[in-house]
Amino acid sequence: MDFAPTEEQSAAQGLAARIFGDLSTPERLAVAGPATDAELWKELCAAGLTAAVEETGLLGLVLLLEEQGRTTAQVPFAASCVYGLLSVARHGTDEQRERLLPALRDGTAVATGAFPARVGIRAGNTDPDTDPDDAGRLSGSVPYVPWLRDADLVLVPDREHRLWIVRTADPGVLTEPVETTAPWSAARLVLDGARGERLGGAGAYEAVLAAARTAFAGLQAGVCAGSLARAVAHVNTREQFGRPLSTKQGVLLRAADAHMDTEAIRVTAYEAAWRYDTGLPYGPQALTAAWWASEAGKRVVHAGQHLHGGTGADLDHPVHRHFLWGRQLDAYLGSGGEVLQELGDSLVKEGTE
């Protein structure tokens, strides 16, 4: 295994770090609220970072999302790339790629996903020769979909785990804004006979879900790294009884544990992404990354807030955003217990086969 980034991946990560660092400041984030930072999104797309994901692969996306997580930048980068760009590129037909990818590359179209699959999403007849009017009609609702308020396309899995591309502006598609733990411009998705366009075949849902878990684990690694960096800066300057807090053994141990947890999230996300890009089986590795992102992620963001002492209780303090994002990512696409059960089931199945 070689997780060393390529020259292209390193260049993209460096550019992303500069753009996020310059534009995603605490002051701008406070003004943005739950809405997308349109100027930042435009800058990222103009710099070619969305389009670059096709070339740099899932590992490249993980590296870019780490930089987003460090600043908790308010843009739908993860959702649009993993549910839109990578999914269409890998599972779409030639016609779908030609029609959909240009707008996803330049950011003029934003995609998101109503993941994971819910039993409440029902697809009508999938054979257009039997009943052309009912073919591909979707009904049901999803309680919340991140970044849905900004999305032009939403990737919807039905109860049978078939994937459908739905245009949010089409008849039968209703979105109702909702607030989530992290300000991700989310909305409730209601489908009432909405027309869907099939994407991929058997196994496409599982592949996209595993890729999404890997990508959002990379985002969690960045969120944790940013939280820890703020905590370290605080304890190095905050004094108690004439000495910096960083000289206290308890503080040192808590920070060290948080650092090791962050590295565990990072390396497991790298492995899953690397296997995805090289064509190796990556399902168990994606579940491992998701488990670390959930279990270790919440430990790290709690530690970051606790190490700030009373300052960490301030809802307007930048470290509190990391706490909110970390807790949102902790449960998104499955909590630690849920993905651990999935991992166990997959290992048992693999051993049986």
Side-chain angles (χ1 to χ4, degrees), residues 13 16-17 20-21 24 29 40 44 61-75 77-78 184 215-230 262 266 301 318-319 321-326 329:
Q13 185 180 21
F20 284 126
S24 185
L29 290 170
L40 174 56
L44 291 167
L61 177 59
V62 165
L63 294 171
L64 298 179
L65 293 176
E66 275 194 75
E67 301 306 325
Q68 179 186 0
R70 291 178 196 274
T71 61
T72 60
Q74 200 69 12
V75 287
F77 200 94
W184 282 3
F216 281 96
L219 182 61
Q220 180 76 300
V223 169
C224 291
S227 174
L228 183 57
R230 291 189 180 280
T262 301
R266 177 181 288 118
V301 295
V319 78
R321 284 184 60 89
H322 291 271
F323 175 78
L324 295 178
W325 278 58
L329 288 163

Side-chain angles (χ1 to χ4, degrees), residues 19-315:
I19 294 174
F20 284 126
D22 288 346
L23 295 183
S24 185
T25 62
E27 294 76 20
R28 286 175 59 90
L29 290 170
V31 172
T36 294
D37 187 331
E39 182 181 345
L40 174 56
W41 179 244
K42 182 178 179 180
E43 185 70 21
L44 291 167
C45 296
L49 289 176
T50 46
V53 171
E54 276 189 276
E55 300 296 326
T56 61
L58 184 57
L59 180 55
L61 177 59
V62 165
L63 294 171
L64 298 179
L65 293 176
E66 275 194 75
E67 301 306 325
Q68 179 186 0
R70 291 178 196 274
T71 61
T72 60
Q74 200 69 12
V75 287
F77 200 94
S80 196
C81 287
V82 76
Y83 295 125
L85 200 68
L86 290 180
S87 294
V88 173
R90 175 162 287 208
H91 303 288
T93 63
D94 290 340
E95 188 278 330
Q96 286 174 321
R97 287 193 288 268
E98 183 178 352
R99 172 166 48 88
L100 299 174
L101 286 179
L104 291 169
R105 290 185 189 118
D106 63 22
T108 53
V110 172
T112 188
F115 276 61
R118 273 122 173 141
V119 296
I121 297 295
R122 182 185 65 83
N125 169 38
T126 57
D127 183 1
D129 295 329
T130 304
D131 187 349
D133 185 61
D134 187 50
R137 296 286 184 178
L138 302 174
S139 298
S141 64
V142 180
Y144 85 97
V145 178
W147 307 106
L148 183 56
R149 296 182 220 175
D150 303 314
D152 305 282
L153 307 172
V154 54
L155 190 59
V156 181
D158 64 20
R159 65 175 69 179
E160 304 298 331
H161 289 186
R162 294 169 298 212
L163 293 180
W164 304 87
I165 300 172
V166 174
R167 297 185 179 276
T168 56
D170 280 358
V173 181
L174 177 66
T175 61
E176 303 170 346
V178 296
E179 300 304 329
T180 53
T181 301
W184 282 3
S185 198
R188 180 171 180 256
L189 177 67
V190 180
L191 303 175
D192 185 11
R195 179 75 72 184
E197 175 185 351
R198 278 295 300 274
L199 180 73
Y205 166 75
E206 290 76 14
V208 173
L209 178 59
R213 282 171 164 162
T214 303
F216 281 96
L219 182 61
Q220 180 76 300
V223 169
C224 291
S227 174
L228 183 57
R230 291 189 180 280
V232 169
H234 176 79
V235 299
N236 276 328
T237 55
R238 180 74 171 180
E239 291 190 357
Q240 187 180 63
F241 306 119
R243 297 171 56 196
L245 289 174
S246 58
T247 62
K248 310 293 184 182
Q249 187 179 46
V251 171
L252 289 171
L253 293 174
R254 191 80 187 276
D257 286 343
H259 170 74
M260 294 305 296
D261 273 338
T262 301
E263 289 302 301
I265 301 169
R266 177 181 288 118
V267 73
T268 52
Y270 283 6
E271 181 184 7
W274 174 80
R275 293 179 70 90
Y276 175 96
D277 291 337
T278 53
L280 295 170
Y282 60 94
Q285 288 75 20
L287 286 167
T288 302
W291 183 84
W292 276 103
S294 176
E295 295 296 316
K298 61 187 172 190
R299 286 197 298 265
V300 174
V301 295
H302 274 269
Q305 188 152 333
H306 291 167
L307 288 173
H308 277 77
T311 306
D314 183 356
L315 301 185

